[in-house]
Amino acid sequence: MKTGLNHLFIPGPTNVPDRVRMAMNVPMQDMRAPDFGELTLPLFAGLKKIYRTKSAEVFMLPGSGTGAWEAAITNTLNEGDTVLMSRFGQFSHLWVDMAERLGLNVQCVDVAWGEGVPVEKYAEILKADTDGKIKGVFATHNETATGVTSDIAGVRAALDSAGHDAMLYVDAVSSLGSIDFRMDDWGVDLAVSGSQKGLMLPAGLGILAASQKAIAASKTCTTKRCYFDFADMMNLNSGGYFPYTPPTQLFHGMRESLAMIEEEGLDNVLARHTRLAEGVRRAVEAWEGCSLCAVNPKWYSDTVSAIVVPETIDARDVISMGYSRYNTSFGSGLTKLAGKVFRIGHLGSLNEVMCIAAIGSAEMALADAGARIELGSGVAAAQAWYRDAAAQPIKMAAE
Ligand SMILES: *Cc1c(COP(=O)(O)O)cnc(C)c1O
């Protein structure tokens, strides 16, 4: 019998705060009512703040992050177009796979899993592309499979230094609202996200921001599309409406989650993710024989840590022990990393003590799976860090 809380430490879906859950408990409503925009229009405005964009269009597409990937591609790229992508984990892999299946000519740079977007290589390739064959440059901001965050400003700089005109496509599914993301400053043209990660909502919405350049491209793009067509969406979104029945419950939830982010202050939300992540990293460092999959601190992700277990044990056992004995869900090692890695998702509605619980649970599960780690070593390392961090004053947005 499981009592108490299930401890959800996967990198999405994340914990939905009670405030958000309760906000969604409302009767069905008329999505063509004259006042429907009062619910939806502020959401577009709120999302723009999180994307840090003034000029982009934001779409809320029924679906998930993967649907928003597809919307980004089919609205702006034609079959046979050449795109530059890189692959260093399961999510960047799936994006390449989608681009190929949609008929793009993918120039893919394969990178070791544990590293990120190869900015220098991108710069070289873009410089060499003097006749502008490359129409899109793709970058996975936070590779959730390996816990690696890439340098999107660096990708923008690579484009600029080559004087290259390609559009910049960023997967921000597991970074938006949790890791610094700057749509306008970084000149991002299409930025994909979803509802169930940093935005602390149930799954069900693909979120997409498109620059004016991307919107202009969608007007001449001839790729067949219908459900996710930008023009249909924009036509109705401007009044707060949708071309088909939208998930109003999620909108009520989003109104609350955006309010929570606003109250805490986006900068504070980002700083909290860094603080919580650092505690997890210190715990991993304290665990003998364990290490992060991310090979360099510049790539450490503040939303998910992929933890390489000692070779003598199977990470799948850690995950199953965590779930069956301690009521804790950890993320699994995906494809290549199966058995080698388990992941602690630390994004969304979380605090220090919740992370301590995850670390303590992981220690028990690691020991049960046969790892010779010292119980309490990671917890102690994280406690020391969180105590130090708590002693620093935190500036609240409301102050
Ligand atoms: C979760 C995730 C996706 C897929 O999103 P879905 O909402 O599951 O379709 C894509 N990219 C990254 C980086 C993710 O973390």
Side-chain angles (χ1 to χ4, degrees), residues 51-236:
Y51 273 107
R52 300 202 207 260
T53 182
K54 292 214 154 60
S55 54
E57 293 285 337
V58 172
F59 298 101
M60 295 189 281
L61 312 158
S64 71
T66 308
W69 272 353
E70 183 155 332
I73 292 174
T74 56
N75 277 279
T76 58
L77 290 163
N78 293 314
E79 209 172 308
D81 277 353
T82 297
V83 293
L84 176 60
M85 303 183 82
S86 50
R87 175 161 54 192
F88 41 82
Q90 183 61 9
F91 291 96
S92 44
H93 162 70
L94 287 172
W95 213 7
V96 170
D97 178 61
M98 176 185 277
E100 286 175 342
R101 285 161 67 177
L102 291 172
L104 300 181
N105 174 33
V106 178
Q107 183 172 353
C108 178
V109 183
D110 269 295
V111 176
W113 289 32
E115 300 179 20
V117 174
V119 170
E120 291 84 21
K121 186 83 193 157
Y122 270 24
E124 247 172 63
I125 292 170
L126 290 167
K127 276 210 177 85
D129 183 39
T130 45
D131 50 0
K133 241 175 67 205
I134 296 168
K135 301 296 176 210
V137 173
F138 285 59
T140 300
H141 188 202
N142 189 71
E143 174 51 81
T144 317
T146 58
V148 162
T149 302
S150 285
D151 176 13
I152 303 303
V155 177
R156 167 45 60 198
L159 277 153
D160 289 350
S161 72
H164 204 291
D165 193 39
M167 282 190 290
L168 175 55
Y169 295 70
V170 177
D171 175 342
V173 179
S174 60
S175 55
L176 188 77
S178 336
I179 294 173
D180 195 24
F181 183 84
R182 298 173 179 272
M183 179 102 188
D184 287 358
D185 291 354
W186 299 343
V188 176
D189 292 296
L190 291 125
V192 177
S193 195
S195 50
Q196 79 278 19
K197 296 191 179 175
L199 294 174
M200 307 178 288
L201 292 163
L205 284 174
I207 316 264
L208 177 62
S211 71
Q212 290 307 320
K213 182 171 164 181
I215 299 297
S218 74
K219 292 182 177 150
T220 54
C221 171
T222 56
T223 299
K224 286 199 176 67
R225 58 195 186 263
C226 175
Y227 190 72
F228 286 143
D229 186 60
F230 283 0
D232 292 349
M233 289 295 277
M234 283 165 63
N235 214 356
L236 284 156

Side-chain angles (χ1 to χ4, degrees), residues 286-332:
W287 293 335
E288 212 180 301
C290 292
S291 59
L292 288 170
C293 183
V295 296
N296 186 315
K298 75 173 179 182
W299 280 319
Y300 287 172
S301 163
D302 285 343
T303 58
V304 54
S305 294
I307 298 151
V308 182
V309 300
E311 267 173 35
T312 50
I313 72 161
D314 189 324
R316 284 169 285 221
D317 294 338
V318 178
I319 295 159
S320 71
M321 292 297 170
Y323 192 72
S324 62
R325 294 188 176 174
Y326 308 115
N327 210 356
T328 307
S329 289
F330 296 114
S332 56

